[in-house]
Amino acid sequence: YAPNLLIQTTLTGQLSLLMLILWMEKLSIKVVSANTDGIVCCCDKELEPKMMQIIALWERVTGFNMERTDYAGLYSRDVNNYIAIKPSGDVKTKGCFGSAGISKNPQNEVCNIAAIEYIKTGKEIGKTITECQDITKFLTIRTVKGGAVKDGEVLGKAVRWYYAKGVEGTINYKTNGNKVPRSDGAKPLMDLPDEFPTDIDYEWYIAEANELLKDLGL
């Protein structure tokens, strides 16, 4: 509960950004997305000096300061899920395209890697996926409340799996028997193997990566 921050950030910040968007659009500078603390513009080179003048004026009027990040390419599903390529070749990802971390469990990271490589270099999706020899990039990790079971085997609450050829059925909740989402064809892998599995369903991962590209309009 912070009414001062509500006025300062949520209302004032948003209205100020809307003012900046209006100024940009009036000069035919396309604003392609906006979030709580910034906007992304697609600006013609000849309009760039005018864009910077508008931003400088906006900073004087509002008292806010802008930081600039240039992109060579931006591929968005929506404002919170995108792949951005910087002029240096570095990649920024967010949402479903982001890497796993403390707040996000791994989910088929090889698909994201393949999609990014396709966007950056044009490398075929299937080639990137079949060349990968790191089983952790194929894993999905999901917390299952009350524990999970697969073909009668109790797996525990933190379930780790990959998609394998010849695997039938699903992973289910131990408490009620309901299917764990997206576990059709899933093969539990609670302990990492010493050798790379030979039964990975590459076609599943290729299809999943292509769906990511489809979400980006590619």
Side-chain angles (χ1 to χ4, degrees):
Y1 179 70
N4 290 339
L5 291 177
L6 172 68
I7 298 298
Q8 180 181 348
T9 303
T10 308
L11 292 181
T12 305
Q14 289 285 278
L15 290 173
S16 296
L17 280 177
L18 285 170
M19 180 171 66
L20 179 59
I21 291 169
L22 178 63
W23 290 357
M24 293 288 191
E25 291 285 347
K26 280 185 175 294
L27 287 173
S28 300
I29 299 172
K30 186 178 180 181
V31 178
V32 296
S33 70
N35 211 333
T36 55
D37 58 355
I39 64 175
V40 178
C41 297
C42 183
C43 179
D44 292 336
K45 283 291 185 181
E46 61 268 20
L47 290 176
E48 186 175 352
K50 182 64 67 175
M51 179 182 72
M52 299 311 297
Q53 291 175 11
I54 293 172
I55 292 172
L57 174 61
W58 180 85
E59 288 177 326
R60 291 197 299 272
V61 170
T62 63
F64 293 129
N65 293 316
M66 276 288 186
E67 296 178 351
R68 173 172 170 168
T69 300
D70 290 331
Y71 294 146
L74 177 64
Y75 305 85
S76 302
R77 190 186 78 180
D78 52 58
V79 71
N80 289 315
N81 297 273
Y82 61 78
I83 298 170
I85 311 295
K86 298 181 180 180
S88 63
D90 292 339
V91 178
K92 178 184 177 182
T93 58
K94 188 172 183 181
C96 67
F97 302 102
S99 300
I102 293 175
S103 61
K104 180 184 177 184
N105 284 330
Q107 288 192 22
N108 317 311
E109 283 191 88
V110 71
C111 298
N112 285 347
I113 293 169
I116 291 169
E117 195 62 30
Y118 174 82
I119 289 171
K120 284 182 64 177
T121 68
K123 186 175 181 179
E124 291 181 8
I125 289 290
K127 191 171 178 60
T128 300
I129 290 174
T130 55
E131 286 179 350
C132 181
Q133 292 292 298
D134 183 353
I135 186 57
T136 64
K137 302 303 182 186
F138 291 85
L139 294 180
T140 292
I141 298 177
R142 189 180 185 97
T143 301
V144 180
K145 187 176 181 180
V149 293
K150 167 70 174 177
D151 298 331
E153 179 186 358
V154 178
L155 302 174
K157 295 181 180 180
V159 185
R160 180 163 57 195
W161 74 74
Y162 68 96
Y163 296 94
K165 293 180 290 187
V167 174
E168 298 181 354
T170 61
I171 298 173
N172 300 87
Y173 283 84
K174 182 181 177 182
T175 53
N176 55 23
N178 289 342
K179 182 181 80 171
V180 173
R182 290 173 60 82
S183 66
D184 297 89
K187 182 175 181 177
L189 191 71
M190 304 306 290
D191 298 308
L192 293 178
D194 294 328
E195 297 183 358
F196 191 77
T198 60
D199 60 350
I200 288 178
D201 187 353
Y202 287 115
E203 293 302 318
W204 189 97
Y205 291 95
I206 291 170
E208 183 74 3
N210 281 321
E211 281 298 313
L212 290 176
L213 292 177
K214 185 178 178 181
D215 287 343
L216 297 173
L218 299 173

